[in-house]
């Protein structure tokens, strides 16, 4: 099975380098399909995570206790966009999934999305073991 990941590094301009972002599978391509405003909001929240902080819209995701899985929720023009990332690893931020919530009732994350996040968290562990964040 091929492990697909994109790695991004950002310099702050103050001589400090932020943690790299590792995009697991299609998470980066999926985020690029969001409206610009949602992309910008989620991107800023990820930058805060890269610097070791936590954006006010970033919440620990239920069902992943101890795994350090965080969800960013952005509501834009009546639609809800979400990005899920792992902060479990000290050296990098792993973006696991980005998706638009389509359900009109309830706030729960759909089961198929939770299954995908679980699978991608396993991939992130494999990628981390291969030290792709430092390549």
């Amino acid at each position: 099975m091929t492990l697909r990941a994109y790695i991004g590094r950002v310099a702050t301009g103050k001589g400090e380098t932020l943690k790299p972002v590792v995009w697991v599978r299609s998470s980066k391509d999926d985020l690029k399909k969001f409206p610009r405003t949602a992309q910008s909001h989620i991107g800023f929240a990820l930058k805060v995570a890269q610097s070791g902080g936590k954006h006010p819209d970033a919440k620990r995701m239920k069902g992943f206790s101890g795994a350090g899985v965080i969800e960013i929720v952005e509501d834009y023009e009546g639609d809800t966009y979400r990005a899920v990332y792992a902060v479990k690893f000290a050296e990098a931020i792993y973006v696991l999934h980005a998706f638009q919530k389509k359900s009109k009732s309830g706030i729960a994350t759909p089961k198929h999305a939770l299954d995908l996040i679980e699978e991608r968290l396993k991939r992130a562990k494999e990628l981390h073991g291969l030290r792709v964040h430092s390549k």
Side-chain angles (χ1 to χ4, degrees):
M1 180 181 292
T2 302
L3 296 177
R4 181 176 164 199
Y6 299 98
I7 302 169
R9 298 181 192 283
V10 177
T12 64
K14 299 176 185 174
E16 177 186 337
T17 301
L18 300 174
K19 291 180 186 180
V21 173
V22 179
W23 301 88
V24 180
R25 304 277 172 137
S26 67
S27 58
K28 185 174 186 178
D29 295 333
D30 296 337
L31 181 66
K32 286 182 175 183
K33 294 175 187 171
F34 291 3
R36 284 250 188 235
T37 301
Q39 287 181 42
S40 178
H41 182 83
I42 290 170
F44 180 73
L46 288 171
K47 187 171 182 180
V48 171
Q50 283 180 277
S51 66
K54 186 175 169 200
H55 189 276
D57 292 336
K59 309 285 187 229
R60 185 167 299 276
M61 192 162 192
K62 293 177 183 171
F64 294 93
S65 60
V69 176
I70 308 294
E71 178 180 44
I72 306 162
V73 179
E74 167 65 2
D75 291 319
Y76 177 73
E77 293 188 353
D79 292 317
T80 301
Y81 299 89
R82 297 179 178 190
V84 178
Y85 64 95
V87 293
K88 175 179 183 153
F89 313 102
E91 300 87 358
I93 303 297
Y94 288 81
V95 181
L96 306 174
H97 191 30
F99 62 102
Q100 178 181 356
K101 184 171 179 301
K102 301 201 180 208
S103 173
K104 299 298 181 193
S105 62
I107 60 171
T109 304
K111 181 173 177 5
H112 72 289
L114 291 172
D115 292 344
L116 183 63
I117 293 163
E118 180 70 37
E119 184 268 326
R120 289 185 178 179
L121 181 58
K122 290 177 186 174
R123 296 290 165 257
K125 290 175 185 175
E126 291 176 22
L127 292 168
H128 189 74
L130 295 171
R131 302 193 57 78
V132 298
H133 59 276
S134 62
K135 295 181 181 177

